[in-house]
Amino acid sequence: MNEETVLFSDLGLSEVILKALNDTGYTKPTPIQAQAIPHVLMMRDVIGIAQTGTGKTASFTLPMIEILQNGRSKARMPRALVLSPTRELSAQIQENFVRYAKYTGLTSALLVGGSDMQEQSAKLERGVDVLIATPGRLLDHFGRGALLMTAVNILVIDEADRMLDMGFIPDIEKIVGMLPPMRQTLMFTATMSSSIEKIASKFLSNPKQITVSRPSSTATTVTQEVVHTSDRGKNHDLLALLKQHAGLSTLIFCNRKTDVDKVHRILHQQKLASVAIHGDMVQSKRYENLNAFKSGTAQIIVCSDVAARGLDIPDVALVVNYDMPFNAEDYVHRIGRTGRAGKSGKTIALITPEQDKYLQAVEKLIEQKLPVLTLGAQEKKAVPPQASAPVPAPAPAAKTQPAAPKPDTKRPESQPPKQQDKRPRKQDDADDGDNDAKGFGLDLPAFMSGR
Ligand code: AMP
């Protein structure tokens, strides 16, 4: 079958699902959907190598709904289980499920940390067809006897590579041990490695492997730039960048939860409509903030990698790396939030001298030297907060220069992160480390501080 010309109606899905798809406005399946759905419907195990943005959620949700239509769940005995690494991703999967299953009467429960245990238990007691869960919370419910896993015939492990990074594999092993051995298992991962292959061979049986690339190559649609800055001037430069890109939906990534809070506070002080997401926030606040960003009420969202992982945020025009990620691959995930579906996007990274090594790692990974953006001299000049400086003229436009030699990195280096990127993370929706935030001396010019 030619993937280009495949229609949803060619894939073996029933009328009630096609009707729901029609309601969503999707015109044709994405490559992962066209390739995976027929195999899932044939009850094969599937390993999908696909990132967020490829339509992978529907590639397992749609055939799952099709299969589950032929039966009903009993109290505390779900028939399908979807495991994902974060609360937000789980919530998104459930949103997809609800949208596609709306004419089928099938039900689902979201079992994630940060939400009321009692409410979740009551739902399980009434009987649900599909559980969508983070591993920790699922084990909590199982431990309390609220769940029987013997009827689970379909298991989905989403973002397996992230599960591995976050130290969830032992929990998943425990969960898999509670499921019937005769079941269908689907696993999705953004990247393939020997560790993921090992996990796949443990949990899946003779899987069909499907690999798809991102719908649009970031290399062609995303303009990438770096700004060399200092610890002292970083916040000032961030605000200058945001001013230049005012009006764009913007995602700002920080490496640490403490920095997410601080950057958000700074933006708030500057009366910029922003929200933040990180793992220490109560769940209701995380949803609220994400929705504020999705609806456009807040134009800027500040987050850490783990909290942002897998979030389906359409139309982000600008991704700012407040820090270069410790792990070069995270850079690729981060910038993948812009330039989607053929749209053009932009990403700018703020590089302090001690972050230069992370920039080098990224440039090595993407085999590309990132051009340096020079901010106007006026913006570069830090003004102490207490100074009653005259209001300067609007910032001149920044100009991009060809890759320039790196600035002097001989200044004393601060402690490198203590292998934070590689540390196995256990708790539900683990987040980045809490290393001390760098000096957040707010050297803002008057035009930024509203004085
Ligand atoms: P995912 O990779 O599953 O997170 O999906 C990324 C985005 O693509 C979501 O906003 C989906 O609603 C959307 N999407 C999924 N399948 C299709 C499709 N066949 N056509 C258009 N958009 C889709």
Side-chain angles (χ1 to χ4, degrees):
M1 203 165 9
N2 180 356
E3 203 186 274
E4 288 291 302
T5 57
V6 174
L7 301 171
F8 278 116
S9 52
D10 297 327
L11 298 178
L13 300 167
S14 55
E15 275 306 314
V16 279
I17 299 177
L18 294 177
K19 193 166 166 228
L21 283 170
N22 196 39
D23 291 353
T24 62
Y26 299 170
T27 50
K28 64 186 188 78
T30 65
I32 184 90
Q33 292 161 5
Q35 291 179 64
I37 291 172
H39 292 288
V40 181
L41 289 176
M42 284 189 279
M43 313 300 288
R44 262 196 90 166
D45 283 4
V46 168
I47 176 155
I49 303 161
Q51 296 181 359
T52 302
T54 54
K56 71 180 164 73
T57 316
S59 77
F60 62 79
T61 318
L62 296 172
M64 175 194 283
I65 294 168
E66 185 66 45
I67 294 165
L68 293 177
Q69 278 191 88
N70 308 316
R72 280 291 173 265
S73 295
K74 298 191 189 103
R76 291 183 289 141
M77 293 179 72
R79 294 183 294 146
L81 171 63
V82 182
L83 293 173
S84 98
T86 68
R87 301 165 184 182
E88 281 79 10
L89 183 57
S90 297
Q92 251 167 230
I93 295 168
Q94 193 191 32
E95 273 170 32
N96 275 246
F97 175 85
V98 170
R99 208 182 307 148
Y100 307 141
K102 68 177 180 183
Y103 298 118
T104 66
L106 292 171
T107 56
S108 63
L110 184 64
L111 303 188
V112 296
S115 301
D116 187 33
M117 222 36 205
Q118 301 290 337
E119 239 172 68
Q120 293 173 358
S121 301
K123 208 159 187 194
L124 294 175
E125 192 57 47
R126 288 197 292 275
V128 291
D129 298 294
V130 180
L131 282 188
I132 300 153
T134 47
R137 183 50 72 99
L138 183 85
L139 287 169
D140 285 350
H141 278 284
F142 188 78
R144 291 177 174 207
L147 265 176
L148 282 170
M149 305 296 268
T150 46
V152 173
N153 289 319
I154 306 175
L155 168 67
V156 179
I157 304 171
D158 199 11
E159 307 230 336
D161 48 350
R162 202 60 176 189
M163 298 273 208
L164 181 70
D165 285 352
M166 292 168 74
F168 282 153
I169 299 303
D171 282 353
I172 293 175
E173 273 176 10
K174 254 188 244 166
I175 292 166
V176 171
M178 295 163 358
L179 305 179
M182 288 295 288
R183 58 159 204 276
Q184 185 177 17
T185 306
L186 316 173
M187 190 165 110
F188 291 82
T189 178
T191 50
M192 201 38 157
S193 64
S194 56
S195 311
I196 294 290
E197 265 169 23
K198 246 187 242 157
I199 292 165
S201 66
K202 230 181 198 175
F203 300 148
L204 285 81
S205 153
N206 186 28
K208 169 76 187 166
Q209 183 167 318
I210 296 166
T211 308
V212 298
S213 51
R214 288 200 69 83
S216 56
S217 148
T218 48
T220 54
T221 57
V222 180
T223 313
Q224 304 175 58
E225 287 165 342
V226 299
V227 170
H228 288 292
T229 186
S230 60
D231 286 342
R232 196 159 182 270
K234 196 172 184 181
N235 298 319
H236 175 279
D237 286 345
L238 171 69
L239 290 171
L241 283 176
L242 294 176
K243 186 166 192 277
Q244 281 174 6
H245 297 87
L248 298 185
S249 61
T250 302
L251 194 51
I252 302 176
F253 280 104
C254 302
N255 288 352
R256 304 172 182 90
K257 286 183 279 195
T258 44
D259 284 355
V260 171
D261 279 337
K262 281 177 188 174
V263 169
H264 175 234
R265 247 191 335 264
I266 292 164
L267 302 187
H268 191 72
Q269 281 162 4
Q270 304 307 310
K271 310 241 176 315
L272 292 168
S274 75
V275 286
I277 293 195
H278 64 64
D280 282 351
M281 265 173 199
V282 294
Q283 192 57 35
S284 52
K285 193 75 194 154
R286 289 161 72 165
Y287 290 140
E288 191 187 307
N289 288 352
L290 179 61
N291 286 335
F293 183 71
K294 278 185 174 181
S295 68
T297 317
Q299 225 155 34
I300 303 172
I301 189 163
V302 192
C303 43
S304 56
D305 290 290
V306 174
R309 177 77 183 188
L311 293 186
D312 173 31
I313 303 169
D315 298 333
V316 176
L318 175 68
V319 171
V320 176
N321 282 299
Y322 181 79
D323 303 298
M324 238 2 184
F326 302 140
N327 187 347
E329 274 182 14
D330 281 340
Y331 177 82
V332 180
H333 289 299
R334 288 178 178 188
I335 71 166
R337 300 323 182 97
T338 184
R340 283 180 175 188
K343 294 193 183 107
S344 60
K346 185 165 185 175
T347 180
I348 303 171
L350 291 165
I351 309 292
T352 55
E354 64 269 27
Q355 287 231 318
D356 203 56
K357 53 184 174 291
Y358 302 123
L359 170 63
Q360 285 173 27
V362 163
E363 288 181 335
K364 196 167 163 215
L365 179 77
I366 64 174
E367 295 177 339
Q368 201 179 328
K369 197 106 180 120
L370 296 180
V372 176
L373 178 72
T374 309
L375 295 171
Q378 209 155 23
E379 291 166 342
K380 277 279 176 201
K381 218 174 108 208
V383 179
Q386 68 276 21
S388 53
V391 178
K399 61 179 193 293
T400 301
Q401 294 182 337
K406 301 277 161 53
D408 183 12
T409 54
K410 280 192 199 121
R411 62 188 290 291
E413 283 212 341
S414 65
Q415 287 296 311
K418 308 164 209 146
Q419 286 297 307
Q420 224 106 30
D421 43 334
K422 294 286 175 209
R423 190 190 61 198
R425 292 175 264 205
K426 270 287 294 176
Q427 76 273 32
D428 182 37
D429 190 24
D431 209 333
D432 326 273
D434 260 346
N435 261 6
D436 284 347
K438 288 281 152 43
F440 248 81
L442 254 183
D443 295 336
L444 305 178
F447 77 92
M448 293 289 181
S449 61
R451 278 176 277 116

